[in-house]
Amino acid sequence: MGLTIGPKIITENLTLHFDSGNPLGWNNTTGEWHNFASNTVGGARNTPNITYNTGEDALFFPNNTNSDCVTVNDINYVTGSSDQINNLTLEAWVKNSSTITDHTSDERIILSFDRSAVFRFGIGIDALNGISSSEGLICFSFTTGSGATATTFDIQAPNCPNLRDDTWHQIGVTYTTSEINFFLDGEIIGTTTASYGSIGGQDTTETPRYGIIGNGSESTSPGAAIGPTNNFSGYIKSIKYYNGKTFTSDEIKNNYNAQKARYGLWFINIQ
């Protein structure tokens, strides 16, 4: 019998690492989560409606149109170019409910730092900026430039199946100023290219912007303002946000293989 330790997740440039499937990642008594990237308390749920499900070993977000969310307390973005984003990778393990919400385009937000100031990542998008239909699809929205030159993009994953299927999936997005790649279960499913530019840099009053897990953010302090109220519907086990690093297809596959057994740091294969 041989013991094989699988690959570990990539930690280079890891900025946010939420993992409710890790025993140290979620405190069900306080409702707080641990950011493994910074080794600090990352934030907390704002209502008891968000619950930890022992069977799924993940957080359950109910099908409501309200301000239920998990706050991100230790990451925010400010006015100007000092913290613009030129490269990023977003990855999440989610199980979408097949029950349809009453959100516009059935949007289910996974992570947001405000679409009109920084970015938003989820399933579906309510602002159909050139998109005819996005229900059940991986979507990434963001704003580049500032003032009169600010441009908001809403991009859906090409060739993406309907993910409202009550099944666990790894979903991912990589971003550069000229290319966006979308991933599903370790494989690239589509690419879009354009002269996007750097995310952020707004010179408006939309500063700072704190993150929200499972809902929209317009927060100038942790959990201060939810918008739009298009909360996630289903289970979220883990989210990783890499600022300053655009994964290759092999790196996405590495993280998929490292987590597919339990969505943790490694898997063990006994032969």
Side-chain angles (χ1 to χ4, degrees), residues 66-83:
N66 56 32
S67 57
D68 292 346
C69 75
V70 174
T71 65
V72 177
N73 294 359
D74 58 347
I75 304 171
N76 67 83
Y77 289 90
V78 297
T79 293
S81 60
S82 63
D83 55 6

PDB file of all heavy atoms in Angstrom, residues 66-83:
ATOM      1  N   ASN A  66     -32.876  39.752   0.361  1.00  0.00           N
ATOM      2  CA  ASN A  66     -32.632  40.612   1.511  1.00  0.00           C
ATOM      3  C   ASN A  66     -31.142  40.842   1.650  1.00  0.00           C
ATOM      4  O   ASN A  66     -30.370  40.535   0.752  1.00  0.00           O
ATOM      5  CB  ASN A  66     -33.231  39.999   2.786  1.00  0.00           C
ATOM      6  CG  ASN A  66     -32.715  38.592   3.047  1.00  0.00           C
ATOM      7  OD1 ASN A  66     -31.576  38.275   2.710  1.00  0.00           O
ATOM      8  ND2 ASN A  66     -33.527  37.751   3.647  1.00  0.00           N
ATOM      9  N   SER A  67     -30.737  41.384   2.770  1.00  0.00           N
ATOM     10  CA  SER A  67     -29.350  41.804   2.950  1.00  0.00           C
ATOM     11  C   SER A  67     -28.506  40.785   3.706  1.00  0.00           C
ATOM     12  O   SER A  67     -27.480  41.148   4.284  1.00  0.00           O
ATOM     13  CB  SER A  67     -29.310  43.159   3.669  1.00  0.00           C
ATOM     14  OG  SER A  67     -29.987  43.087   4.905  1.00  0.00           O
ATOM     15  N   ASP A  68     -28.902  39.508   3.710  1.00  0.00           N
ATOM     16  CA  ASP A  68     -28.060  38.481   4.319  1.00  0.00           C
ATOM     17  C   ASP A  68     -26.704  38.454   3.629  1.00  0.00           C
ATOM     18  O   ASP A  68     -26.614  38.452   2.398  1.00  0.00           O
ATOM     19  CB  ASP A  68     -28.701  37.100   4.188  1.00  0.00           C
ATOM     20  CG  ASP A  68     -29.967  36.957   5.013  1.00  0.00           C
ATOM     21  OD1 ASP A  68     -30.205  37.811   5.883  1.00  0.00           O
ATOM     22  OD2 ASP A  68     -30.708  35.983   4.776  1.00  0.00           O
ATOM     23  N   CYS A  69     -25.613  38.406   4.396  1.00  0.00           N
ATOM     24  CA  CYS A  69     -24.286  38.359   3.801  1.00  0.00           C
ATOM     25  C   CYS A  69     -23.264  37.953   4.848  1.00  0.00           C
ATOM     26  O   CYS A  69     -23.560  37.862   6.036  1.00  0.00           O
ATOM     27  CB  CYS A  69     -23.899  39.706   3.193  1.00  0.00           C
ATOM     28  SG  CYS A  69     -23.460  40.966   4.428  1.00  0.00           S
ATOM     29  N   VAL A  70     -22.041  37.728   4.373  1.00  0.00           N
ATOM     30  CA  VAL A  70     -20.872  37.573   5.226  1.00  0.00           C
ATOM     31  C   VAL A  70     -19.928  38.716   4.875  1.00  0.00           C
ATOM     32  O   VAL A  70     -19.594  38.919   3.705  1.00  0.00           O
ATOM     33  CB  VAL A  70     -20.184  36.210   5.010  1.00  0.00           C
ATOM     34  CG1 VAL A  70     -18.889  36.125   5.804  1.00  0.00           C
ATOM     35  CG2 VAL A  70     -21.126  35.070   5.391  1.00  0.00           C
ATOM     36  N   THR A  71     -19.517  39.478   5.873  1.00  0.00           N
ATOM     37  CA  THR A  71     -18.700  40.661   5.616  1.00  0.00           C
ATOM     38  C   THR A  71     -17.232  40.295   5.414  1.00  0.00           C
ATOM     39  O   THR A  71     -16.755  39.275   5.898  1.00  0.00           O
ATOM     40  CB  THR A  71     -18.799  41.669   6.771  1.00  0.00           C
ATOM     41  OG1 THR A  71     -18.236  41.083   7.962  1.00  0.00           O
ATOM     42  CG2 THR A  71     -20.246  42.049   7.031  1.00  0.00           C
ATOM     43  N   VAL A  72     -16.535  41.154   4.671  1.00  0.00           N
ATOM     44  CA  VAL A  72     -15.080  41.089   4.538  1.00  0.00           C
ATOM     45  C   VAL A  72     -14.539  42.335   5.223  1.00  0.00           C
ATOM     46  O   VAL A  72     -14.696  43.442   4.719  1.00  0.00           O
ATOM     47  CB  VAL A  72     -14.646  41.046   3.060  1.00  0.00           C
ATOM     48  CG1 VAL A  72     -13.114  41.061   2.953  1.00  0.00           C
ATOM     49  CG2 VAL A  72     -15.215  39.820   2.369  1.00  0.00           C
ATOM     50  N   ASN A  73     -13.906  42.150   6.375  1.00  0.00           N
ATOM     51  CA  ASN A  73     -13.515  43.291   7.205  1.00  0.00           C
ATOM     52  C   ASN A  73     -12.104  43.793   6.954  1.00  0.00           C
ATOM     53  O   ASN A  73     -11.791  44.936   7.304  1.00  0.00           O
ATOM     54  CB  ASN A  73     -13.636  42.922   8.687  1.00  0.00           C
ATOM     55  CG  ASN A  73     -15.075  42.671   9.117  1.00  0.00           C
ATOM     56  OD1 ASN A  73     -15.993  42.789   8.311  1.00  0.00           O
ATOM     57  ND2 ASN A  73     -15.261  42.332  10.374  1.00  0.00           N
ATOM     58  N   ASP A  74     -11.236  42.948   6.388  1.00  0.00           N
ATOM     59  CA  ASP A  74      -9.817  43.305   6.354  1.00  0.00           C
ATOM     60  C   ASP A  74      -9.290  43.641   4.965  1.00  0.00           C
ATOM     61  O   ASP A  74      -8.082  43.751   4.782  1.00  0.00           O
ATOM     62  CB  ASP A  74      -8.973  42.190   6.974  1.00  0.00           C
ATOM     63  CG  ASP A  74      -9.150  40.842   6.268  1.00  0.00           C
ATOM     64  OD1 ASP A  74     -10.099  40.716   5.471  1.00  0.00           O
ATOM     65  OD2 ASP A  74      -8.335  39.934   6.511  1.00  0.00           O
ATOM     66  N   ILE A  75     -10.192  43.819   3.971  1.00  0.00           N
ATOM     67  CA  ILE A  75      -9.763  44.191   2.616  1.00  0.00           C
ATOM     68  C   ILE A  75     -10.693  45.287   2.104  1.00  0.00           C
ATOM     69  O   ILE A  75     -11.916  45.157   2.180  1.00  0.00           O
ATOM     70  CB  ILE A  75      -9.813  42.995   1.648  1.00  0.00           C
ATOM     71  CG1 ILE A  75      -8.975  41.825   2.182  1.00  0.00           C
ATOM     72  CG2 ILE A  75      -9.319  43.404   0.266  1.00  0.00           C
ATOM     73  CD1 ILE A  75      -9.162  40.555   1.393  1.00  0.00           C
ATOM     74  N   ASN A  76     -10.132  46.373   1.591  1.00  0.00           N
ATOM     75  CA  ASN A  76     -10.956  47.415   0.980  1.00  0.00           C
ATOM     76  C   ASN A  76     -10.156  48.121  -0.105  1.00  0.00           C
ATOM     77  O   ASN A  76      -8.929  48.018  -0.172  1.00  0.00           O
ATOM     78  CB  ASN A  76     -11.472  48.404   2.021  1.00  0.00           C
ATOM     79  CG  ASN A  76     -10.366  49.236   2.642  1.00  0.00           C
ATOM     80  OD1 ASN A  76      -9.936  50.246   2.071  1.00  0.00           O
ATOM     81  ND2 ASN A  76      -9.905  48.825   3.818  1.00  0.00           N
ATOM     82  N   TYR A  77     -10.874  48.839  -0.968  1.00  0.00           N
ATOM     83  CA  TYR A  77     -10.269  49.579  -2.071  1.00  0.00           C
ATOM     84  C   TYR A  77     -10.660  51.048  -1.959  1.00  0.00           C
ATOM     85  O   TYR A  77     -11.779  51.376  -1.555  1.00  0.00           O
ATOM     86  CB  TYR A  77     -10.710  48.991  -3.412  1.00  0.00           C
ATOM     87  CG  TYR A  77     -10.087  47.637  -3.656  1.00  0.00           C
ATOM     88  CD1 TYR A  77     -10.724  46.478  -3.225  1.00  0.00           C
ATOM     89  CD2 TYR A  77      -8.845  47.526  -4.267  1.00  0.00           C
ATOM     90  CE1 TYR A  77     -10.141  45.234  -3.406  1.00  0.00           C
ATOM     91  CE2 TYR A  77      -8.259  46.289  -4.460  1.00  0.00           C
ATOM     92  CZ  TYR A  77      -8.904  45.149  -4.023  1.00  0.00           C
ATOM     93  OH  TYR A  77      -8.314  43.929  -4.201  1.00  0.00           O
ATOM     94  N   VAL A  78      -9.728  51.931  -2.362  1.00  0.00           N
ATOM     95  CA  VAL A  78      -9.922  53.360  -2.162  1.00  0.00           C
ATOM     96  C   VAL A  78      -9.835  54.106  -3.489  1.00  0.00           C
ATOM     97  O   VAL A  78      -9.450  53.551  -4.526  1.00  0.00           O
ATOM     98  CB  VAL A  78      -8.871  53.933  -1.182  1.00  0.00           C
ATOM     99  CG1 VAL A  78      -9.025  53.298   0.193  1.00  0.00           C
ATOM    100  CG2 VAL A  78      -7.454  53.731  -1.709  1.00  0.00           C
ATOM    101  N   THR A  79     -10.167  55.372  -3.459  1.00  0.00           N
ATOM    102  CA  THR A  79     -10.125  56.231  -4.634  1.00  0.00           C
ATOM    103  C   THR A  79      -8.710  56.323  -5.198  1.00  0.00           C
ATOM    104  O   THR A  79      -7.728  56.318  -4.465  1.00  0.00           O
ATOM    105  CB  THR A  79     -10.621  57.634  -4.259  1.00  0.00           C
ATOM    106  OG1 THR A  79     -11.993  57.562  -3.931  1.00  0.00           O
ATOM    107  CG2 THR A  79     -10.437  58.611  -5.413  1.00  0.00           C
ATOM    108  N   GLY A  80      -8.623  56.419  -6.529  1.00  0.00           N
ATOM    109  CA  GLY A  80      -7.338  56.649  -7.169  1.00  0.00           C
ATOM    110  C   GLY A  80      -6.675  55.390  -7.658  1.00  0.00           C
ATOM    111  O   GLY A  80      -7.233  54.292  -7.593  1.00  0.00           O
ATOM    112  N   SER A  81      -5.463  55.541  -8.146  1.00  0.00           N
ATOM    113  CA  SER A  81      -4.773  54.448  -8.823  1.00  0.00           C
ATOM    114  C   SER A  81      -3.858  53.630  -7.920  1.00  0.00           C
ATOM    115  O   SER A  81      -3.204  52.694  -8.381  1.00  0.00           O
ATOM    116  CB  SER A  81      -3.939  55.003  -9.982  1.00  0.00           C
ATOM    117  OG  SER A  81      -2.969  55.927  -9.496  1.00  0.00           O
ATOM    118  N   SER A  82      -3.806  53.946  -6.631  1.00  0.00           N
ATOM    119  CA  SER A  82      -2.831  53.300  -5.753  1.00  0.00           C
ATOM    120  C   SER A  82      -3.082  51.808  -5.590  1.00  0.00           C
ATOM    121  O   SER A  82      -2.147  51.054  -5.312  1.00  0.00           O
ATOM    122  CB  SER A  82      -2.831  53.963  -4.373  1.00  0.00           C
ATOM    123  OG  SER A  82      -4.089  53.813  -3.734  1.00  0.00           O
ATOM    124  N   ASP A  83      -4.320  51.384  -5.740  1.00  0.00           N
ATOM    125  CA  ASP A  83      -4.628  49.961  -5.558  1.00  0.00           C
ATOM    126  C   ASP A  83      -5.395  49.377  -6.750  1.00  0.00           C
ATOM    127  O   ASP A  83      -6.210  48.467  -6.600  1.00  0.00           O
ATOM    128  CB  ASP A  83      -5.405  49.722  -4.261  1.00  0.00           C
ATOM    129  CG  ASP A  83      -6.678  50.553  -4.161  1.00  0.00           C
ATOM    130  OD1 ASP A  83      -7.026  51.230  -5.156  1.00  0.00           O
ATOM    131  OD2 ASP A  83      -7.324  50.523  -3.100  1.00  0.00           O
TER     132      ASP A  83
END
